[in-house]
Amino acid sequence: EREAEREGERERKREMARPRPRDYKAGDLVFAKMKGYPHWPARIDELPEGAVKPPANKYPIFFFGTHETAFLGPKDLLPYKEYKDKFGKSNKRKGFNEGLWEIENNPGVKFTGYQKTAKQSRKSSDQEGKDEGDDKDIKEEGSKSGSEAGEADGDTKNAAGHQKMNEETSII
């Protein structure tokens, strides 16, 4: 009888460690696991009208930071909120820190359901008038977001910012 009790205990521990796959719906925020990658901040995407249907039991996944997409089954998905402390730490993989920033600050990026975000409208005004004022904003934003936010605005602005800083500091 005690042996059966112990087995039951082991079984319960296993279940705690491996959460049951669950049903997800479009818009849900998750960590998605692909071979060779860390658990990545992602979103369950909507299937546009007439899109190729995913394989059975697979969800269309949008990866924050890289904006790649894939089809993954529930066993490779974990709810974002519950696993944020475990997997939401900064990582050197290209696009990962941007992804952490995006899932928090712009989870609707490229999502057909809720496309209009403040970010979207700022982007278009960025293109129009490039004056000194804009540049200052970007620098301040960069210093505010810092490492925890994982530089939000893509590599090109960052590269330009770093280049500029290097020029300013290398007067020696």
Side-chain angles (χ1 to χ4, degrees):
E1 193 179 306
R2 186 167 283 163
E3 185 48 46
E5 229 170 81
R6 260 192 236 118
E7 184 48 49
E9 187 58 35
R10 280 195 291 267
E11 182 59 35
R12 271 192 297 282
K13 280 201 174 115
R14 274 198 294 274
E15 283 188 26
M16 290 289 288
R18 191 139 300 293
R20 285 270 162 268
R22 53 177 82 197
D23 282 332
Y24 295 95
K25 61 187 188 313
D28 286 354
L29 301 180
V30 295
F31 280 104
K33 182 71 178 107
M34 285 191 74
K35 200 178 161 82
Y37 289 87
H39 286 83
W40 203 279
R43 178 183 67 218
I44 309 293
D45 248 352
E46 279 178 326
L47 280 177
E49 282 301 305
V52 182
K53 290 274 175 283
N57 306 321
K58 300 231 169 172
Y59 295 95
I61 304 301
F62 171 87
F63 293 91
F64 289 107
T66 61
H67 297 189
E68 300 273 338
T69 57
F71 290 116
L72 291 178
K75 71 177 189 348
D76 295 319
L77 304 171
L78 294 168
Y80 173 70
K81 287 264 181 287
E82 288 169 48
Y83 286 85
K84 187 175 152 178
D85 292 344
K86 185 167 185 182
F87 297 123
K89 298 187 180 65
S90 164
N91 185 304
K92 286 190 175 62
R93 286 303 279 267
K94 188 171 167 52
F96 187 87
N97 293 340
E98 290 82 348
L100 288 180
W101 184 92
E102 227 169 30
I103 198 170
E104 285 290 328
N105 298 286
N106 194 12
V109 60
K110 291 196 173 173
F111 190 65
T112 48
Y114 39 88
Q115 191 70 323
K116 293 187 176 50
T117 61
K119 196 87 190 124
Q120 235 68 18
S121 57
R122 261 246 344 266
K123 274 265 187 297
S124 55
S125 68
D126 263 8
Q127 262 56 57
E128 291 154 24
K130 261 271 162 256
D131 63 334
E132 282 306 307
D134 283 352
D135 240 343
K136 278 193 207 77
D137 287 354
I138 290 162
K139 261 196 193 126
E140 278 166 32
E141 199 175 73
S143 60
K144 247 202 308 260
S145 62
S147 58
E148 57 172 336
E151 304 306 345
D153 280 326
D155 294 340
T156 49
K157 272 187 201 164
N158 286 347
H162 292 308
Q163 184 63 43
K164 199 169 260 180
M165 285 194 287
N166 291 344
E167 285 165 17
E168 287 166 13
T169 52
S170 64
I171 299 163
I172 308 155

